[in-house]
Structures are given as C-alpha cells and as structure tokens.
Amino acid sequence: MGSSSLLLWSLLLFLIAFPRVTLVHAFTGTYGINYGRIADNLPPPGSVVTLLKAAKVKNIRIYDAAHEVLTALKGSGIEIIVGLGNEYLRDISVSEDRAMNWVKENVEPFLPGTRIRGIAVGNEILGSTDQELWEVLLPAVKNVYNALDRLHLTKVVEVSSPHSAAVFASSFPPSAGAFKETILPYMKPLLEFFEQINSPFYINIYPFLAYISDPDHIDVKYATFQSNPGIYDSNTKLHYDNMFEAQIDAAYAALEKAGFEKTEVIVSETGWASRGDANEVGATLKNARTYNYNLRKRLLKKKGTPYRPKVVVRAYVFALFNENLKPGPTSERNFGLFKADGSVSYNIGFTGLKPSSAASSLHSLKGTGLRSWFGSSYSLLYTTCSAAVLLILMA
C-alpha cells in the first residue's frame, strides 16, 4: 500500500470515528431548572440570564415561548425547551399551517443564537380531566413535528409532551407501575410516535406531593434523600433509599407494560415547597433545602436508578423563582430556589446574583478555556483532514 493510500485510509478512519453528526438532545446535562413566570415581581429576563450563568445552570424549561426571554438568552449557551400552551392545542391539531406559523414565529427566528432544543407540546394533558385535549394532543404533536421537519429543524429541536403522575394507575412498589386503562388508547399512540422520532418520556415527579398526602405513612427522610431504611421491591429484588428514584422506576415499569421498554424517562418537574398552608405538612424551608440540596448532589453524580443503572437520571427542578400570582394553595407560590431579588431562597450551593469569588471565576475560566481550546482544535483538525481527503481523491 502506497503512502498516499495509507494516509487516505487513516484520514477516513478518523472521520468515521469522529463524525460531525448533529443529533437532537433537548437535555444534554443532568440538572435543569423550570423558569416559571406567573408573578409580577420577577427580575427582567436579562438579569435572569445573569443569575442562571452565575449559578452555572445550562438547561432550562419555560412554559411558553416569550420573545423577551428567548431574546435575552441569545448567545448565553443555555439550552432551553419552550412550551406550546394547552390553549393552542385544538387549533394546532387541525392545521399544519397553524403549527408552521407558530414555529416560524416562536422558534425559527431565534435559532441558532438562542439554543432552543425542544418544544413541549401541552403540559400534563393525559393526567387532566379534559378528554377533548386527550384527543387533540397527538395530532398537535405530529403537526408541530412536521412543521419542524419541513424547516429542516428536527435534528435541532426535539418534540415532547410532559405528563403528571396522574397518568399512573399504580406506582408502588416501583415494579407495579402501570398507566391507567382509560388513557392507554391515547398514551400508546403518543408513545409510538415518540419512539419513531426518538423522544423521551417526560414525567413530573413530586415526592413532596406524595408526602403531604400521607405524612403518617411516608418517612420524610425517604422523601428527601436522607438516611432511612428505604423500601424493598420483592418483584425486582431491588432496594430504594429515596422516593425520587422509586417514582422514576415506576415510570419505567409502566412503559415496559405498555411495550416501550427502550424509552428513556426524563423528569420534567420536581421540587419541594418552602412554605404551605396548615394542612400541607412538610412544606418548610428546612425540608425544601434538604430535598433540593440532596437532589442536586444526586444528579451531579450522573448515575442511573436501581432498575435502570446505566441510564443517567436527568431532571428539571421546579422552580427558579417563587411565583406570587400562582393560584391554589400557598405551596404553589413557594417552590422557588431564588427570591424575586435574585438572592437564594436557601443555600444549596448557588450564589445567585452575588459576585463569584476569584477562585470560582478562575476555575470557570480555566474550564471554559480548555473546552474552547479543544472545540476549536477539533474543528481545525476535522476541517484539515476533510480537505486532505478531498485533495488525495482528486490527485
């Protein structure tokens, strides 16, 4: 084999081993935050971006596609899932043109500067009592996906639809996880479509809600990742020392029973309220800090669950701020990690809008510099190799 041929094969092997293929991953980290805005006292989006960067949060979800938020996020590097609200589903479900108009107005103009990585079509639809919305969810999802496809954005923007725990008929023990029979005629076709387009199953998981509904029988330490005896699932012979992982594995069990054992589960919401009404036992600052501190520590380990040990757990915390205009019990307005002034609600390792220490800034600079160097060097090497292959082929 001549030297030119040897070089050609070497370069081709490099290109095959390190392809520049863009796959859609709406959530590339493990720890994200939901940025809800049902409030009249929150900082402007530009300040929120500063806060997120100071806290080193790289993945967020919003519940709409507010242009001021998307504009503020431009160039930040923060990856975002936008929401298509439940109120739009009926119109979107009956018209691909309406779906296209929504995507062209709320997604396409902001790419690529704003890193929109997903569209959540509706929120907790199949766990609601509105059966008309059950019926229009899948058509709406398909129309949004088809609009992205026509705009060649399906490799950039994922389509999903998060669910509440109300979709389950049972979730304890985890191996008994199963969907309600009433929603299966709607859930299965939705999951089949998501399987085709490689979208995960997003579920809102709240040990907080489970605990306040039955504090006499649920150990608060089990609900907040503290040392406790845990539970044993005799069907799988697996031990659980926290409810969060048990609920995720219940979702995996339900998916398996429905025929979707390969679908990944991602937690779209989880959190703990720092205040509540008199009947909301456990809604305290101490429990909120304990849950969110231990959750963050657990997610940063990048590990799986007892039933899916090789699938890294990913979760978006609810929520970034306390939202003073949310209806419902007091707890609904007190899930925030941060106060409206940008300071932390309690200490779980974030600094908020306060200046970082010199050491932290230096560490961040070093990390960013190394990643930037590697990224630019890789691009240069890749481009050089590609050009060399073309020159050899043309020789």
Side-chain angles (χ1 to χ4, degrees), residues 89-271:
L89 296 190
R90 291 177 178 87
D91 285 345
I92 296 286
S93 71
V94 296
S95 172
E96 277 198 23
D97 287 341
R98 290 176 184 174
M100 176 64 80
N101 290 339
W102 190 91
V103 172
K104 280 189 171 182
E105 181 181 346
N106 298 295
V107 176
E108 187 184 34
F110 299 95
L111 295 171
T114 299
R115 303 188 70 177
I116 300 173
R117 291 293 178 260
I119 300 172
V121 180
N123 187 47
E124 299 188 336
I125 298 298
L126 297 185
S128 74
T129 57
D130 190 338
Q131 192 161 341
E132 185 182 345
L133 284 182
W134 297 6
E135 294 169 354
V136 301
L137 177 58
L138 180 57
V141 165
K142 287 184 174 179
N143 283 345
V144 170
Y145 180 81
N146 290 338
L148 291 170
D149 191 35
R150 285 162 59 189
L151 294 170
H152 308 289
L153 292 175
T154 56
K155 291 274 170 51
V156 179
V157 182
E158 172 191 89
V159 179
S160 63
S161 187
H163 303 285
S164 71
V167 299
F168 300 123
S170 60
S171 60
F172 183 84
S175 60
F179 293 119
K180 290 178 178 176
E181 290 292 331
T182 51
I183 69 160
L184 275 177
Y186 304 93
M187 180 66 83
K188 277 193 172 183
L190 182 68
L191 291 172
E192 284 170 359
F193 183 69
F194 283 151
E195 187 176 58
Q196 292 171 18
I197 64 173
N198 199 32
S199 286
F201 178 79
Y202 282 90
I203 182 71
N204 298 340
I205 287 177
Y206 283 95
F208 166 74
L209 296 178
Y211 176 72
I212 65 171
S213 70
D214 192 10
D216 293 334
H217 297 98
I218 297 175
D219 186 349
V220 69
K221 292 184 177 180
Y222 176 65
T224 56
F225 302 93
Q226 298 181 75
S227 179
N228 69 96
I231 64 130
Y232 178 72
D233 190 329
S234 59
N235 295 319
T236 57
K237 307 293 190 293
L238 294 173
H239 178 266
Y240 292 86
D241 60 13
N242 67 84
M243 186 183 290
F244 177 74
E245 292 181 5
Q247 291 185 337
I248 293 174
D249 279 353
Y252 276 120
L255 287 167
E256 276 194 10
K257 291 181 179 70
F260 300 92
E261 62 276 0
K262 294 183 180 180
T263 298
E264 180 184 2
V265 173
I266 292 179
V267 179
S268 38
E269 288 183 17
T270 190

Side-chain angles (χ1 to χ4, degrees), residues 271-341:
W272 198 285
S274 58
R275 286 183 60 210
D277 295 322
N279 64 334
E280 295 182 297
V281 180
T284 67
L285 195 71
K286 178 183 177 182
N287 286 340
R289 181 200 176 276
T290 300
Y291 182 81
N292 281 300
Y293 175 81
N294 288 334
L295 172 69
R296 184 173 179 234
K297 185 169 65 174
R298 190 253 175 265
L299 292 173
L300 293 177
K301 290 179 180 178
K302 299 182 179 179
K303 293 183 178 180
T305 62
Y307 193 58
R308 286 284 191 273
K310 295 182 180 179
V311 182
V312 175
V313 174
R314 307 173 192 275
Y316 291 91
V317 176
F318 187 86
L320 187 58
F321 296 108
N322 290 330
E323 298 173 72
N324 67 338
L325 297 183
K326 288 198 76 173
T330 297
S331 61
E332 285 291 329
R333 295 176 288 283
N334 289 280
F335 275 90
L337 299 177
F338 295 91
K339 300 175 183 178
D341 63 2

Side-chain angles (χ1 to χ4, degrees), residues 342-360:
S343 62
V344 295
S345 295
Y346 39 80
N347 181 21
I348 64 168
F350 291 139
T351 57
L353 291 173
K354 296 177 182 178
S356 301
S357 67
S360 296

Side-chain angles (χ1 to χ4, degrees), residues 368-383:
T368 302
L370 181 59
R371 287 192 297 273
S372 300
W373 176 88
F374 181 80
S376 60
S377 298
Y378 175 85
S379 297
L380 178 61
L381 181 57
Y382 190 96
T383 304

